[in-house]
Amino acid sequence: MEENKASNFIEEIIEQDLKDGKYDSILTRFPPEPNGYLHMGHAASICLNFGVAKKFGGKTNLRFDDTNPVTEDTEYVESIQQDVHWLGFDYANIFYASDYFNQLFEYAIQLIQQGDAYVCDLTADEIAVQKGTPTEAGTNSPYRNRSVAENLDLFLRMKAGEFKEGEKTLRAKIDMSSSNMQMRDPLLYRIKFAHHHRTGDQWCIYPMYDFAHGQSDSIEKITHSICTLEFVPHREVYDWLIAKLGIYPSKQYEFARVNINYTVMSKRKLKQLVEENHVAGWDDPRMPTISGMRRRGITAAAIRNFCEKAGIAKREKVNEFSLLEFCTREDLNKIALRRMVVFNPVKVLITNLENEVALDIEDNPEDEKSGTRKVAFTKEIFIEKDDFVETPQKKIFKMEIGQAIRLKGAFIVTCNEVIKDADGVISEIHCSYHLDSQSGKDTSGIKVQGTLHWVSAQYAVPVEIREYDRLFKVENPSDEEGDFKDYINENSLVVISTALAEPALRNATTREHYQFLRKGYFYLDKEATDKKIIFNKTVGLKDNWSKK
């Protein structure tokens, strides 16, 4: 079918496999380790795994790779499920690598009995030295030729908790001279006396990634196991273990991870930012986590569109953060409710207005179904202090003495006088409005070249604005010398506490996105209350970053 035409090399592989009759249906999986919150790199993997399965009529499993009890937590499990659903995907099944601990243990016994695995007493440092280098072969462990009976006995005693952590490991017996370092007798099991978030204290030996991953894929009959490029060297181990065990032949394929500039995409580094209080949690709107993006107001549709535009490649590249912002603007322009908020207010007195006027102002000109809202035009209003100029500038259309200008959705006004305090600071601006110039009903014939946003002084609602910039001052902080945290942008968060909003925003919810006229797109923060309304700036109306 035409709609199933491949658009990247992964899809080409799947398309060919189906054409060749290799599979009746496609089954992929998304297998995060629950040791942190998902970031934009994971979003790309989610979109790919779920997207290709859906495109070709298949399904996707969500499987938690919970083989390291020291770093894993149910908090992360819950956040990952939330992120997947929020991005718009449904999984066929939810599994855990820990579901397969008994089966994996039996697989390990099988390898030992076949002479394909052995218990090793070398320490981690000794193993690292003994493995050799990419240009020099490694040397066999002195414990490599233990008998099957001895290996079985030792492995069962490892399971029984008779040895200390690091005292013994189970290793595959492959080839210590292989050009692929991963094939030089990789670890299959290690000892860890740690409470597991699902199995409790049932186990004190845990499978390594190389042993849990491929076998879990096989148990679930995953047809296409899609990983990022760093797992290319692991593919040979993946295939070797499946072949030795004689189990369902799942296949691994790799694509380049999605990176974004001016941030870091490492869970370890993101965890440092959180634990050292450089940010306000995993969902800080400056973080590249999916939860951070959601809190900032970036939509799931924008993230999916970004992942599609970033593409599926075989080579690593760094994507511009501005591409994500573009996708966000594109989506929000269609759905965001328009509202007026003055960040740095100065009072304007409409000298000839006797009674307030009830106005109907459109909610979103891009959506004819969005309707209108009531806004009161009152004798005292606020405009932005920067929207008044005493010295006119060419092609800058602001309020100035003697000139007419339109107030959004209201009337044309002419500035007549400016009141200043003892220090010469403007405290109030006096204007007169033109009765026959109401927006949508204008018969005044007056031509103006600018439109300003405003709020009623009588009904204005105080709000806090949090404006966000790039988290780092350099494009690739991980590539710079020294500690990556030395490059944190100290001005990545600016809080504006003087802002005044139109009263409709008193009822703002996280179900809606907002465009503050002439300011950008904003989203209600989770910390907002009835007494303190807080908005996060999602993105500006234009890409100003590239001009900096």
Side-chain angles (χ1 to χ4, degrees):
M1 296 176 64
E2 183 61 31
E3 69 225 38
N4 287 347
K5 189 68 177 174
S7 59
N8 59 63
F9 77 95
I10 294 291
E11 292 184 3
E12 288 173 358
I13 291 169
I14 294 174
E15 186 178 54
Q16 190 63 48
D17 286 346
L18 290 172
K19 184 178 178 180
D20 294 342
K22 191 173 181 180
Y23 305 105
D24 293 327
S25 61
I26 298 302
L27 182 60
T28 63
R29 86 290 170 267
F30 174 60
E33 182 179 359
N35 62 348
Y37 282 64
L38 299 183
H39 54 60
M40 287 296 292
H42 297 107
S45 182
I46 292 169
C47 290
L48 176 58
N49 278 287
F50 283 87
V52 296
K54 182 178 180 181
K55 184 171 185 175
F56 292 97
K59 296 180 179 180
T60 303
N61 290 341
L62 172 63
R63 180 174 74 238
F64 292 100
D65 180 24
D66 57 342
T67 58
N68 186 358
V70 176
T71 60
E72 296 156 1
D73 196 281
T74 52
E75 173 192 351
Y76 303 134
V77 170
E78 292 167 0
S79 73
I80 289 168
Q81 292 181 66
Q82 181 184 11
D83 287 345
V84 171
H85 279 305
W86 179 77
L87 279 173
F89 299 106
D90 293 315
Y91 35 83
N93 302 284
I94 181 169
F95 294 125
Y96 295 80
S98 55
D99 292 335
Y100 312 131
F101 279 176
N102 284 319
Q103 180 65 70
L104 294 173
F105 178 77
E106 292 302 320
Y107 285 156
I109 295 293
Q110 179 183 336
L111 289 175
I112 292 171
Q113 290 174 332
Q114 293 173 182
D116 292 318
Y118 64 96
V119 173
C120 183
D121 295 2
L122 295 178
T123 66
D125 290 339
E126 289 169 339
I127 290 174
V129 171
Q130 170 254 353
K131 272 203 168 186
T133 69
T135 57
E136 296 180 358
T139 55
N140 288 342
S141 165
Y143 308 101
R144 199 173 194 264
N145 294 320
R146 277 173 165 159
S147 67
V148 168
E150 185 179 5
N151 283 318
L152 282 174
D153 174 66
L154 290 171
F155 188 56
L156 291 174
R157 290 168 64 191
M158 284 172 61
K159 180 178 182 291
E162 292 186 24
F163 305 111
K164 298 176 182 177
E165 288 189 14
E167 193 173 344
K168 295 187 188 299
T169 57
L170 182 69
R171 298 175 67 180
K173 188 186 292 186
I174 307 180
D175 181 4
M176 291 301 295
S177 62
S178 173
S179 58
N180 180 354
M181 296 286 287
Q182 297 296 330
M183 291 290 283
R184 297 183 184 181
D185 290 11
L187 271 62
L188 303 180
Y189 269 88
R190 81 289 208 197
I191 300 169
K192 275 192 178 294
F193 292 98
H195 186 82
H196 190 278
H197 72 107
R198 294 187 74 240
T199 60
D201 299 318
Q202 180 182 351
W203 295 88
C204 64
I205 55 170
Y206 291 93
M208 303 296 290
Y209 170 86
D210 275 328
F211 193 59
H213 184 214
Q215 284 55 254
S216 297
D217 284 346
S218 181
I219 291 168
E220 294 173 22
K221 292 183 168 53
I222 300 299
T223 58
H224 298 78
S225 179
I226 307 169
C227 305
T228 45
L229 288 180
E230 65 264 33
F231 294 102
V232 169
H234 296 260
R235 190 198 322 143
E236 198 172 353
V237 181
Y238 184 103
D239 293 339
W240 185 89
L241 285 167
I242 284 177
K244 287 294 181 181
L245 291 168
I247 55 180
Y248 181 84
S250 296
K251 292 294 182 182
Q252 176 178 305
Y253 304 92
E254 305 86 16
F255 73 104
R257 69 164 61 241
V258 171
N259 296 301
I260 302 177
N261 60 2
Y262 293 99
T263 190
V264 292
M265 300 283 269
S266 155
K267 272 199 251 185
R268 179 181 60 81
K269 290 180 178 178
L270 293 175
K271 193 171 185 179
Q272 279 184 262
L273 293 174
V274 173
E275 292 179 346
E276 296 175 20
N277 298 314
H278 296 289
V279 294
W282 284 96
D283 66 348
D284 186 298
R286 293 165 292 182
M287 291 278 274
T289 54
I290 297 175
S291 56
M293 297 289 167
R294 181 167 59 245
R295 183 175 175 185
R296 184 166 178 159
I298 293 175
T299 62
I303 292 176
R304 293 195 302 269
N305 192 23
F306 166 79
C307 292
E308 182 178 349
K309 289 181 182 296
I312 304 303
K314 295 182 180 181
R315 291 185 177 181
E316 295 281 1
K317 69 172 183 176
V318 177
N319 295 281
E320 297 285 337
F321 192 86
S322 57
L323 175 61
L324 176 60
E325 292 181 323
F326 169 81
C327 295
T328 301
R329 286 189 202 92
E330 194 174 47
D331 189 44
L332 291 179
N333 184 51
K334 295 179 289 189
I335 66 172
L337 298 175
R338 273 50 170 176
R339 297 291 184 260
M340 294 188 288
V341 180
V342 175
F343 286 19
N344 187 17
V346 62
K347 184 176 287 187
V348 175
L349 180 67
I350 311 298
T351 55
N352 61 335
L353 180 64
E354 297 301 325
N355 301 307
E356 68 180 55
V357 180
L359 305 170
D360 286 305
I361 301 181
E362 59 191 358
D363 277 331
N364 186 342
E366 302 295 324
D367 180 7
E368 57 186 30
K369 297 180 181 179
S370 64
T372 62
R373 67 192 185 282
K374 292 290 185 183
V375 179
F377 183 63
T378 57
K379 192 173 186 68
E380 291 184 343
I381 64 171
F382 289 108
I383 66 168
E384 295 286 353
K385 189 170 289 186
D386 289 343
D387 276 343
F388 175 82
V389 291
E390 293 188 85
T391 304
Q393 303 171 38
K394 289 183 179 180
K395 297 183 180 180
I396 303 295
F397 306 117
K398 298 188 177 185
M399 182 180 286
E400 56 185 88
I401 294 177
Q403 294 297 316
I405 198 162
R406 177 169 292 283
L407 297 175
K408 176 65 180 178
F411 297 88
I412 294 173
V413 298
T414 297
C415 177
N416 302 312
E417 183 184 11
V418 173
I419 309 299
K420 297 182 178 181
D421 61 20
D423 296 322
V425 177
I426 296 174
S427 58
E428 192 170 276
I429 300 169
H430 290 184
C431 295
S432 56
Y433 86 109
H434 299 271
L435 178 62
D436 52 355
S437 68
Q438 183 174 346
S439 294
K441 304 176 182 178
D442 189 353
T443 59
S444 68
I446 301 172
K447 302 296 183 183
V448 295
Q449 292 184 296
T451 301
L452 306 181
H453 65 284
W454 56 278
V455 295
S456 162
Q458 181 177 348
Y459 300 111
V461 177
V463 296
E464 178 178 294
I465 304 295
R466 296 176 180 176
E467 292 192 326
Y468 298 97
D469 205 338
R470 306 291 195 266
L471 184 55
F472 290 90
K473 294 180 285 189
V474 295
E475 281 204 64
N476 299 302
S478 295
D479 294 342
E480 300 290 339
E481 293 183 4
D483 190 336
F484 78 100
K485 298 188 295 297
D486 293 339
Y487 301 95
I488 291 175
N489 178 10
E490 61 275 8
N491 298 314
S492 60
L493 170 60
V494 175
V495 177
I496 300 171
S497 56
T498 57
L500 297 171
E502 62 172 272
L505 284 173
R506 190 183 297 278
N507 299 317
T509 72
T510 54
R511 294 188 300 274
E512 306 288 354
H513 296 263
Y514 302 92
Q515 183 195 104
F516 293 173
L517 297 185
R518 303 172 64 225
K519 293 294 186 180
Y521 295 97
F522 292 79
Y523 190 67
L524 189 71
D525 189 73
K526 70 173 188 177
E527 295 178 352
T529 65
D530 292 340
K531 295 181 179 179
K532 186 176 183 180
I533 303 173
I534 305 168
F535 285 97
N536 296 321
K537 185 173 184 178
T538 306
V539 65
L541 296 174
K542 297 180 180 180
D543 178 14
N544 294 321
W545 180 262
S546 59
K547 299 176 183 177
K548 291 183 181 180

